[in-house]
Amino acid sequence: MPRRTTWTVAAVQMTATEDRARNLRRAAHWVRAAAAEGADLVALPENFSYLRSEGEAPRYRDALDGELVAWLRDLAREVRCYLLAGSIPERASRHRVHNTSLLLGPTGAVLAVYRKLHLFDVSIPGRVEFRESRTVAPGNRIGLVRTPLGVLGLTVCYDLRFPELYRQLALRGAEVIFVPSAFTAYTGRSHWLPLLQARAIECQAWVVAPAQVGRHNPRRESFGHTAVLDPWGRVVALKRQGEGWVSAEVDLQQVARVRRELPCLRHVRRELWRFPRVRRGGAAGAP
């Protein structure tokens, strides 16, 4: 299939709970609605199928050949577009899961599997207490896939705080980077949009960030603000609150133009990437 330089992306915003049947009904509703309006790719948020309370063991441990992925494959075939399954709890071991993002094609084929690299272990007294590593195992490789819609990079939520991951994706050719998330309401107010803009600007890539929103249970609330940003860092689509979706036209020629006119990716000093260790009580590399 020939490469397309312009296409429409839709990013879904949801309030998922522990009720999987309800979550899947809502996800399918928004995917169908966006596809009916002409979306070529629909992106779901992190934990779209099941969002548990902090501290609880995962109720589901899905396999890539299991019922949930079969459901996703059927949905992609039905709507005849690309589908980003923000993340699912993929079985990793008896006690832990991977936080796994999947990209499916219009035929239902699984085109890419990315397991979240960075786990959200954070303690802000009285605000945020979360230790993802108790129940989630990290992945060990970046997510990058070439498609007729361009070179797509896959990340998940907390990954957003690690620019070195996004720089690797950009240097390997990523033109559109996805950030399906369930950003906390507290951190999101100050950090969500600035971090998305920073990643779009420094990568000179489109950034698509479908998000969870609102109160999921007594212990979890997400910021929402699902967004699409262009390679200049401009927010071109934004849904602040409530369930639904936003769409935008992705122009890959804009990626090429920005990278040609402001070629910072070609100016990267790769020889400086191997930083010396910082010794206690002294500067980096000090004797």
Side-chain angles (χ1 to χ4, degrees):
M1 185 179 295
R3 173 183 166 90
R4 298 173 58 181
T5 58
T6 60
W7 49 276
T8 300
V9 67
V12 173
Q13 184 157 283
M14 292 179 57
T15 307
T17 67
E18 297 181 15
D19 185 343
R20 173 166 279 193
R22 179 261 182 201
N23 296 336
L24 296 185
R25 286 195 301 270
R26 301 301 293 162
H29 170 76
W30 296 121
V31 169
R32 289 173 179 136
E37 291 293 323
D40 299 293
L41 187 154
V42 183
L44 292 166
E46 181 185 26
N47 297 323
F48 72 90
S49 71
Y50 170 66
L51 203 151
R52 59 190 168 82
S53 296
E54 161 61 359
E56 291 188 2
R59 185 180 304 170
Y60 299 95
R61 291 181 172 84
D62 296 295
L64 295 183
D65 59 355
E67 292 182 4
L68 179 58
V69 176
W71 180 88
L72 288 164
R73 295 178 61 150
D74 287 343
L75 182 59
R77 279 193 293 264
E78 175 194 332
V79 298
R80 299 180 182 178
C81 71
Y82 290 83
L83 178 60
L84 181 86
S87 77
I88 67 170
E90 180 200 0
R91 183 172 61 235
S93 68
R94 182 177 177 183
H95 301 290
R96 295 205 291 175
V97 296
H98 291 298
N99 196 342
T100 300
S101 189
L102 305 174
L103 179 69
L104 298 95
T107 65
V110 176
L111 304 179
V113 177
Y114 167 72
R115 298 176 177 95
K116 185 178 180 183
L117 287 171
H118 301 96
L119 302 185
F120 189 54
D121 287 359
V122 174
S123 177
I124 303 175
R127 298 292 186 176
V128 179
E129 296 285 339
F130 206 94
R131 192 157 300 279
E132 193 175 20
S133 63
R134 289 174 180 163
T135 55
V136 178
N140 59 13
R141 63 182 62 185
I142 66 173
L144 194 71
V145 58
R146 297 182 182 276
T147 77
L149 302 183
V151 184
L152 310 182
L154 307 186
T155 70
V156 175
C157 199
Y158 189 52
D159 285 334
L160 185 61
R161 295 183 182 275
F162 299 86
E164 61 275 16
L165 169 60
Y166 291 80
R167 177 51 54 90
Q168 284 288 335
L169 290 169
L171 291 175
R172 298 184 190 199
E175 298 163 293
V176 184
I177 302 176
F178 294 90
V179 195
S181 297
F183 234 71
T184 68
Y186 176 68
T187 58
R189 292 186 191 100
S190 298
H191 299 166
W192 172 245
L193 288 174
L195 285 170
L196 290 174
Q197 288 185 290
R199 300 296 87 84
I201 292 167
E202 68 197 11
C203 293
Q204 300 179 312
W206 288 87
V207 171
V208 180
Q212 293 282 354
V213 66
R215 179 70 65 177
H216 309 284
N217 54 57
R219 301 180 65 181
R220 290 192 69 170
E221 183 182 4
S222 294
F223 183 61
H225 291 69
T226 287
V228 181
L229 297 90
D230 74 8
W232 198 249
R234 291 174 291 222
V235 179
V236 298
L238 178 65
K239 183 168 182 58
R240 296 180 184 276
Q241 296 298 323
E243 291 196 329
W245 54 276
V246 294
S247 65
E249 183 177 281
V250 172
D251 182 358
L252 298 184
Q253 293 178 332
Q254 186 179 357
V255 177
R257 182 172 64 254
V258 170
R259 291 178 177 181
R260 181 177 64 251
E261 294 175 353
L262 204 169
C264 61
L265 294 176
R266 295 209 306 267
H267 296 160
V268 172
R269 295 284 301 277
R270 301 193 191 206
E271 72 272 18
L272 301 180
W273 281 14
R274 293 184 178 180
F275 299 104
R277 291 182 179 271
V278 177
R279 298 177 182 269
R280 291 184 179 180

